[in-house]
């Protein structure tokens, strides 16, 4: 509102987020004689002249450089200009308007709020208010409150009576408070409309106009919208004064940071497939399902499998939902099973994998779901369950997204077992490094070791094994469940391929090996029930064929069978010998 500078719309590529930005700048800037440190400063939050406490809280958040929208918007907002921004969630737009507001209100001592932020949903209201709170965490006496429907009115009134800097809310509840006189608006000198297009879609236009008319005339106005339909342009024309216009081109490239895969699966096997996927990745996962009742039953099944999981659906009271999201953010929960409505706007950096357990109703829903991961330029994964009948929806989805969604195989026993082994050994190794630094723990462990050695005459190896046994517990360490259903899941055309392939190899139990290690996995129908151990397998193979013991790869012995990695491309004669191999126990 202050500056009368001519509006200069800037088109910015929203995909340039991330720390690489500085490095890109260095490689592009050949002529400059600046040092890397100087360049980093040029490109950091320092250039905005923020006060110390704000810089400190950004450091705490781990933000190194401003995102493109922040680079473009913050200087304009600091000048007091109105702003019209086209940017989607995930671009860092919240900080783009929150940081200049916090900076300006650093020394504010007045009781009544100076800034009002309007959002379409209560989820977004809490999220934006939480962002304000965390960005102002180092500023003394800075207060943000969120007011929205569905929660206790009286609580909000008592908060509004205290010193408040920023109020974030949904239009309906804001109107209620204004009408009751519990929200004093005569001090408001900045209004932000966040996700304005969503607000219009939800029919809030009249409410928004009602509120704007009640606010003081002299105010800075900021309008953010993911899309720019005519109605939004009209609002901007009507209420914004010579706004700076910023457009973040699209987050298409950002969406590419999310690896999108699909799994063909029939309904009866969905839960089984889900459990297998979670064997490979189970931290920071959100699973989308269509119904509330399904959220509960899936969560229960996953809990039984030992996962830390919670449910997010419309039946759960708002305060509990907030609590759940907070627990996910802090790592107390790893997996969330949610419906679309309940997870709207969910922004948790930890989410690395989105599973579309039920096919989404439309492209928009799918885009929103997968956008829960890959936030602000980070990478993420999305998996879509597709059954035979949904196959053509998949093609439609690919067409409208102009993206090929590749097929992913359901993890088989071998992959899961390798993962289990890998995780256990990594965990043990990581623990040894940690404990080395912890003197108190170290001396306790030495005491325990001494006791075991002296009192029970145990050897080091025996102690190590017993400790591993303790971790592994009573359950079988390796998965041995029937996996024959996995191959039957594939879509029609893949089915045919698989059958052809199976026919070729079924006569001999040769299994494909997924890596490029030069090995092929062979299955032998001898296992623990035959009292077979690894050395028996090695000696039988070496004595019956010309395979050298050192060229044998991984060996896994299960109850009824064993899997052995042998060099690829063995000759016919050797394969025949392996076919008739008898493995003897000692
Ligand atoms: P938004 O578009 O406001 O919903 O922000 C998307 C995500 O980006 C949030 O998780 C923010 O915490 C994160 N974020 C915003 N700005 C930055 C930044 N400069 N550096 C790193 N992450 C950021």
């Amino acid at each position: 509102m202050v500056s009368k500078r001519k509006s200069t719309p800037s088109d910015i590529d929203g995909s340039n987020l991330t720390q690489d930005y500085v490095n890109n700048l260095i490689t592009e800037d050949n002529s400059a004689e600046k040092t890397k440190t100087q360049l980093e400063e040029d490109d950091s939050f320092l250039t905005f002249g923020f006060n110390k406490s704000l810089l400190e809280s950004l450091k705490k958040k781990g933000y190194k450089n401003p995102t493109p929208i922040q680079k473009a918007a913050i200087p304009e907002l600091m000048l007091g200009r109105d702003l019209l921004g086209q940017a989607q969630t995930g671009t860092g737009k919240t900080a783009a308007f929150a940081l200049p507001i916090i900076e300006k209100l650093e020394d504010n001592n007045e009781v009544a709020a100076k800034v009002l932020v309007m959002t379409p949903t209560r989820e977004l209201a809490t999220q934006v208010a939480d962002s304000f709170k965390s960005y102002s965490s180092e500023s003394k006496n800075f207060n943000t409150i969120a007011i929205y429907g569905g929660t206790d009115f009286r609580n909000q009134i008592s908060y509004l009576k205290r010193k408040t800097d920023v109020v974030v809310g949904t239009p309906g509840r804001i109107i209620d408070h204004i009408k009751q006189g519990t929200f004093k608006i005569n001090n408001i000198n900045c209004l932000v409309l966040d996700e304005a297009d969503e607000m219009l879609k939800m029919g809030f236009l009249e409410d928004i106009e009602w509120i704007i008319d009640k606010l003081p005339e002299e105010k800075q106005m900021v309008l953010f919208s993911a899309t720019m339909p005519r109605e939004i342009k009209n609002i901007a024309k009507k209420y914004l004064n010579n706004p700076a216009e910023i457009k973040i081109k699209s987050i298409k490239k950002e969406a590419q940071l999310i690896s999108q895969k699909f799994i063909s699966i029939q309904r009866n096997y969905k839960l089984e497939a889900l459990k297998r996927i979670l064997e490979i990745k189970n931290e920071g996962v959100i699973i989308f399902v269509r119904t509330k009742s399904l959220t509960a039953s899936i969560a229960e099944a996953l809990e039984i499998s030992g996962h830390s999981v919670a449910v997010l659906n419309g039946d759960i009271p708002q305060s509990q939902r907030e609590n759940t999201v907070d627990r996910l953010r802090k790592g107390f929960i790893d997996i969330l099973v949610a419906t679309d409505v309940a997870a709207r706007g969910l922004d948790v950096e930890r989410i690395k994998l989105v599973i579309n357990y039920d096919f989404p109703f439309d492209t928009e829903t799918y885009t929103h779901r997968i956008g829960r991961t890959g936030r602000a330029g980070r990478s993420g994964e999305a998996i879509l369950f597709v059954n035979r009948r949904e196959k053509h929806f998949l093609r439609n989805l690919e067409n409208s997204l102009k993206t090929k969604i590749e097929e992913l195989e359901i993890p088989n026993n071998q992959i899961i077992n390798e993962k289990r082994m890998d995780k256990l050994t990594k965990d043990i190794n990581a623990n040894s490094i940690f404990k080395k630094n912890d003197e108190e723990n170290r001396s306790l462990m030495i005491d325990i070791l001494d006791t075991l050695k002296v009192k029970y005459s145990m050897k080091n190896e025996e102690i190590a094994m017993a400790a591993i046994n303790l971790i592994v517990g009573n359950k079988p360490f390796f998965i041995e469940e029937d996996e024959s259903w996995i191959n039957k899941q594939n879509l029609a055309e893949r089915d045919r391929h698989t059958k052809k392939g199976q026919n070729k190899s079924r006569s001999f139990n040769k299994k494909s090996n997924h890596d490029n290690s030069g090995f092929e996995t062979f299955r032998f129908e001898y296992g623990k029930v035959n009292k077979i151990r690894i050395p028996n397998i090695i000696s039988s193979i070496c004595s019956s064929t010309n395979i050298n013991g050192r060229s044998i790869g991984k060996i896994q012995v299960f109850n009824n069978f064993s899997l052995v990695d042998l060099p690829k491309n063995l000759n016919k004669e050797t394969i025949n010998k392996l076919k008739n191999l008898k493995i003897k126990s000692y």
Side-chain angles (χ1 to χ4, degrees), residues 470-504:
L470 210 61
I471 306 172
V472 173
N474 295 330
K475 282 197 293 182
F477 182 70
F478 287 120
I479 183 170
E480 289 182 33
E481 282 164 24
D482 175 27
E483 56 181 353
S484 55
W485 58 272
I486 293 179
N487 277 339
K488 294 185 196 135
Q489 298 309 305
N490 306 326
L491 295 177
E493 70 259 46
R494 260 236 356 236
D495 260 359
R496 284 199 294 277
H497 279 113
T498 319
K499 273 184 198 132
K500 267 193 230 157
Q502 274 173 353
N503 287 342
K504 253 192 241 156

Side-chain angles (χ1 to χ4, degrees), residues 17-19 45 58 61-70 87-97 99 124 127-128 131 134-135 194-195 254 345 347-349 375-378:
L17 308 182
T18 81
Q19 275 55 351
F45 285 103
L58 291 174
K61 290 279 294 176
Y63 292 8
K64 292 202 176 97
N65 307 109
T67 66
I69 187 133
Q70 290 160 6
Q88 296 182 5
T89 164
T91 51
K93 68 176 165 58
T94 316
F97 63 77
L99 301 180
L124 187 61
Q127 197 181 297
V128 170
S131 299
S134 69
Y135 300 143
D194 195 12
E195 300 199 357
E254 213 179 312
D347 180 17
V348 177
E349 284 173 22
R375 313 286 294 159
R378 292 177 193 89

Side-chain angles (χ1 to χ4, degrees), residues 325-393:
V325 173
D326 200 43
R327 282 169 55 221
L328 176 71
R329 193 169 282 129
K330 291 180 176 147
F332 298 129
I333 298 169
D334 287 326
I335 301 169
L336 215 55
V337 190
T339 54
D340 290 302
V341 177
R344 264 218 83 80
L346 188 93
D347 180 17
V348 177
E349 284 173 22
R350 247 187 102 223
I351 296 178
K352 295 279 179 304
L353 172 64
V354 173
I355 300 177
N356 293 271
Y357 188 87
D358 287 328
F359 206 92
F361 287 114
D362 49 33
T363 311
E364 214 173 287
T365 310
Y366 175 77
T367 312
H368 179 268
R369 284 180 178 184
I370 69 166
R372 298 314 92 208
T373 183
R375 313 286 294 159
R378 292 177 193 89
S379 59
E381 272 180 77
I383 297 175
L384 173 64
F385 282 5
V386 183
N387 67 30
R388 245 175 257 270
R389 272 185 298 155
E390 288 159 341
K391 200 180 139 193
H392 69 279
F393 294 130

Side-chain angles (χ1 to χ4, degrees), residues 46-222:
L46 293 174
T47 50
F48 302 128
F50 287 155
N51 66 61
K52 248 190 183 167
S53 41
L54 188 50
L55 290 173
E56 189 56 35
S57 61
L58 291 174
K59 198 169 152 196
K60 264 193 172 171
K61 290 279 294 176
Y63 292 8
K64 292 202 176 97
N65 307 109
T67 66
I69 187 133
Q70 290 160 6
K71 282 185 88 173
I74 291 172
E76 301 291 355
L77 293 174
M78 296 275 278
L79 283 173
R81 272 190 97 178
D82 285 4
L83 187 131
L84 177 63
Q86 184 171 353
Q88 296 182 5
T89 164
T91 51
K93 68 176 165 58
T94 316
F97 63 77
L99 301 180
I101 288 173
I102 296 170
E103 167 66 30
K104 283 192 198 173
L105 294 180
E106 169 75 1
D107 299 319
N108 177 35
N109 283 319
E110 291 174 47
V111 176
K114 292 210 158 165
V115 175
L116 172 63
V117 182
M118 271 198 266
T119 67
T121 61
R122 51 192 186 182
E123 282 77 16
L124 187 61
T126 26
Q127 197 181 297
V128 170
D130 284 347
S131 299
F132 268 99
K133 284 175 195 165
S134 69
Y135 300 143
S136 62
S137 62
E138 298 297 307
S139 311
K140 284 188 200 99
N141 202 23
F142 190 98
N143 295 311
T144 307
I145 74 160
I147 56 174
Y148 44 80
T151 44
D152 190 26
F153 207 83
R154 276 164 306 169
N155 256 345
Q156 294 174 358
I157 294 175
S158 75
Y159 279 122
L160 282 166
K161 277 185 188 155
R162 296 179 214 160
K163 191 244 175 189
T164 309
D165 294 277
V166 176
V167 172
V168 186
T170 47
R173 192 48 77 96
I174 292 172
I175 291 179
D176 292 346
H177 278 289
I178 293 176
K179 279 187 177 164
Q180 285 210 19
T182 42
F183 176 20
K184 306 262 183 300
I185 50 171
N186 39 348
N187 235 3
I188 298 287
N189 62 16
C190 174
L191 171 69
V192 181
L193 302 178
D194 195 12
E195 300 199 357
D197 50 354
E198 284 297 317
M199 289 203 265
L200 290 204
K201 268 190 219 158
M202 293 169 81
F204 283 139
L205 179 60
E206 234 176 82
D207 289 351
I208 294 171
E209 296 207 309
W210 187 93
I211 295 167
I212 295 179
D213 286 341
K214 296 278 174 299
L215 294 175
E217 195 144 328
E218 269 297 291
K219 60 185 172 303
Q220 184 178 25
M221 289 239 347
V222 181

Side-chain angles (χ1 to χ4, degrees), residues 247-436:
K247 184 176 171 190
I248 294 290
K249 260 187 203 159
S250 92
I251 56 166
K252 236 198 205 142
K253 276 197 204 153
E254 213 179 312
Q256 283 167 8
L257 288 175
I258 304 171
S259 118
Q260 301 176 57
K261 300 271 165 64
F262 78 88
I263 280 184
S264 24
I265 184 85
Q266 295 312 305
R267 197 157 16 134
N268 298 350
Y269 291 103
K270 272 175 150 183
L271 187 57
E272 279 313 305
L274 178 67
K275 286 186 193 163
R276 281 176 178 265
I277 292 166
L278 294 176
E279 284 270 357
I280 309 298
K281 192 164 271 183
N282 55 24
E283 283 175 19
V285 182
I286 181 161
I287 301 161
F288 280 100
V289 299
R290 267 190 208 151
T291 63
K292 294 174 201 166
S293 62
L294 204 54
T295 54
S297 61
I298 290 181
E300 199 181 315
L302 297 182
E303 206 164 288
I304 291 169
S305 303
H307 294 290
S308 74
V309 52
V311 158
L312 207 64
N313 69 39
D315 280 351
I316 295 170
Q318 181 63 21
S319 57
Q320 201 177 318
R321 276 198 243 169
E322 285 162 22
N323 185 272
T324 302
V325 173
D326 200 43
R327 282 169 55 221
L328 176 71
R329 193 169 282 129
K330 291 180 176 147
F332 298 129
I333 298 169
D334 287 326
I335 301 169
L336 215 55
V337 190
T339 54
D340 290 302
V341 177
R344 264 218 83 80
L346 188 93
D347 180 17
V348 177
E349 284 173 22
R350 247 187 102 223
I351 296 178
K352 295 279 179 304
L353 172 64
V354 173
I355 300 177
N356 293 271
Y357 188 87
D358 287 328
F359 206 92
F361 287 114
D362 49 33
T363 311
E364 214 173 287
T365 310
Y366 175 77
T367 312
H368 179 268
R369 284 180 178 184
I370 69 166
R372 298 314 92 208
T373 183
R375 313 286 294 159
R378 292 177 193 89
S379 59
E381 272 180 77
I383 297 175
L384 173 64
F385 282 5
V386 183
N387 67 30
R388 245 175 257 270
R389 272 185 298 155
E390 288 159 341
K391 200 180 139 193
H392 69 279
F393 294 130
L394 172 68
R395 302 293 162 238
N396 291 347
L397 193 63
E398 286 182 325
N399 289 340
S400 66
L401 294 171
K402 297 191 176 61
T403 307
K404 177 105 186 86
I405 302 177
E406 299 289 344
E407 182 156 13
L408 181 73
E409 286 186 22
I410 303 164
N412 61 20
N413 287 358
Q414 186 189 345
I415 290 172
I416 291 175
N417 287 335
E418 281 171 14
K419 179 75 196 179
R420 286 186 184 181
M421 180 62 99
D422 186 53
K423 184 175 180 324
L424 181 71
T425 46
K426 271 195 185 130
D427 282 355
I428 292 175
N429 183 42
N431 239 277
S432 71
I433 296 162
F434 166 73
K435 295 291 191 273
K436 258 186 218 157

